[in-house]
Amino acid sequence: MLNETGLFVSFEGGEGVGKSTQIRRLAEALLRRGHDVLMTREPGGSSGAEAVRHVLLSGAAEMFGTRMEAILFAAARNDHVEERIRPALHRGTIVLCDRFMDSSRVYQGVTGNLEPEFIEALQRIAVNGVVPDCTVILDLPASVGLERARRRGAVEATGEPDRFEKEEIETHEKRRLAFLDIAAREPERCRVVDAMQGEAEIAAEILAVVETFLMPKLAPLANAEPAR
Ligand code: TYD
């Protein structure tokens, strides 16, 4: 088992696939079942990482190149891991994280054209042993996702698309394939969920996935000798 206590679930996919809605629904379902849940997101999730988030999403770091952006994402991730995720897992919490290391592999690695060795080296430092037990990849054709992202006012309160949303449709389709490729290479960790389904169907599928990952963690507790 990767994380001995707690359960670390990351959510990945392109723009407009419905990650935040589904994370909220899953958190509610898990809370109703009596679990301790932490909902968080990247870039951000801790105060140091939130400060870096603004620099990244405003495009302020774009002029310094993809390599610089990748390092900033990794710096933010490391702060998030050490300040919030690792302590939560240690307490036995289920951590639901909107984007994590696979977003860097796809956005900076594949469509940012950085060498996989560079990205993997950065990831090793950033996550420092804290890898998701389960990664839910919400899959949607790029054109559908982009249309949805535009309709909801392109995410940020300004109504302006962020640095990564402005890119072309082919780039988004490339990212979709890159996420599917990660899922194919790491089938024990990744589960692809068809995001063309209705919201309730997607939520039910994700809950079932997470329950299969929770089961082996809860079983030893259920079988444990009652405390004297
Ligand atoms: P956000 O507004 O949180 O949007 P989304 O709903 O798409 O998750 O923006 C995060 C953006 O940052 C998103 O376009 C993907 C990008 N990103 C990277 O490029 N690399 C990363 O490692 C992470 C975590 C995000």
Side-chain angles (χ1 to χ4, degrees):
M1 198 76 42
L2 289 166
N3 297 300
E4 278 176 24
T5 58
L7 186 80
F8 184 13
V9 187
S10 62
F11 291 79
E12 300 279 6
E15 316 296 324
V17 294
K19 285 183 282 89
S20 17
T21 307
Q22 288 301 331
I23 292 172
R24 222 174 308 117
R25 288 186 72 132
L26 177 64
E28 283 161 12
L30 293 170
L31 285 168
R32 276 198 300 274
R33 283 164 171 72
H35 295 290
D36 216 4
V37 177
L38 169 70
M39 273 197 292
T40 187
R41 64 152 184 202
E42 290 211 343
S46 61
S47 47
E50 288 290 333
V52 178
R53 174 183 174 91
H54 177 70
V55 174
L56 283 164
L57 298 193
S58 66
E62 194 177 355
M63 63 196 282
F64 303 115
T66 324
R67 198 170 286 268
M68 169 80 127
E69 286 184 311
I71 294 170
L72 289 173
F73 274 112
R77 179 159 304 131
N78 183 251
D79 190 69
H80 186 207
V81 163
E82 300 304 350
E83 295 301 318
R84 300 214 56 208
I85 300 177
R86 192 193 301 279
L89 291 172
H90 191 70
R91 293 193 301 271
T93 299
I94 301 178
V95 176
L96 308 180
C97 189
D98 190 342
R99 297 194 182 281
F100 196 64
M101 59 184 196
D102 299 310
S103 280
S104 284
R105 289 177 168 155
V106 170
Y107 283 74
Q108 282 66 54
V110 176
T111 55
N113 290 317
L114 291 178
E115 320 77 70
E117 298 72 28
F118 176 77
I119 293 289
E120 292 312 313
L122 269 185
Q123 292 316 305
R124 265 197 308 282
I125 294 166
V127 309
N128 196 15
V130 178
V131 174
D133 296 290
C134 162
T135 296
V136 174
I137 295 174
L138 286 169
D139 180 53
L140 202 60
S143 55
V144 180
L146 279 177
E147 182 51 37
R148 285 191 195 172
R150 285 197 182 115
R151 253 187 283 132
R152 78 177 173 206
V155 196
E156 300 293 321
T158 58
E160 291 292 319
D162 74 35
R163 146 98 175 89
F164 297 94
E165 284 166 341
K166 272 190 275 184
E167 291 156 324
E168 297 298 323
I169 185 102
E170 303 88 79
T171 306
H172 288 274
E173 199 56 48
K174 223 169 166 185
R175 289 186 186 137
R176 177 194 191 192
L177 296 178
F179 279 121
L180 293 176
D181 184 51
I182 291 174
R185 279 185 287 119
E186 299 186 48
E188 57 305 315
R189 171 173 70 91
C190 301
R191 296 291 178 275
V192 178
V193 173
D194 177 5
M196 287 294 276
Q197 304 177 85
E199 197 181 299
E201 283 77 33
I202 299 172
E205 191 173 331
I206 294 176
L207 180 61
V209 163
V210 169
E211 281 180 329
T212 62
F213 279 88
L214 266 176
M215 222 128 36
K217 300 222 173 194
L218 298 177
L221 298 179
N223 296 334
E225 292 268 318
R228 293 185 194 183

